[in-house]
Amino acid sequence: VPNPAKTMVSFHSAKYGLVPSKKFTVKIFDASNDKVYENDFYSGEKINLGSFANGTYFYSVKGEDGSDNINYKGKFSVLK
């Protein structure tokens, strides 16, 4: 995830890289902990930040692939 981001962000699994067949769910929250985005996506897909205001956002990426449980959390900034 670029930091700060301007127009797009993308997420991928450190384990699977940009393998497009791996599906995940991403949730993004603003600094007030309000959910501003939630969607299923494939590793490496881009999320358009056009409607996001400047600020810090927190994300949660979850998915399950057989016995491999994927769970990442972090933050990024938007500065347009």
Side-chain angles (χ1 to χ4, degrees):
V1 174
N3 203 2
K6 291 183 180 184
T7 59
M8 303 256 181
V9 292
S10 64
F11 298 91
H12 67 275
S13 164
K15 182 173 183 175
Y16 297 111
L18 294 174
V19 178
S21 62
K22 302 299 178 191
K23 195 169 189 176
F24 305 95
T25 298
V26 64
K27 295 179 184 178
I28 300 176
F29 302 87
D30 64 15
S32 298
N33 204 31
D34 292 325
K35 186 169 37 176
V36 296
Y37 181 90
E38 179 176 3
N39 206 356
D40 291 337
F41 74 104
Y42 291 96
S43 186
E45 257 186 277
K46 294 182 186 212
I47 298 170
N48 186 328
L49 300 175
S51 64
F52 286 56
N54 288 344
T56 300
Y57 294 86
F58 302 88
Y59 64 86
S60 169
V61 178
K62 294 184 179 181
E64 191 161 327
D65 180 26
S67 63
D68 297 324
N69 192 11
I70 307 299
N71 189 0
Y72 300 102
K73 292 183 179 182
K75 67 180 179 176
F76 66 93
S77 297
V78 173
L79 182 60
K80 298 178 183 179

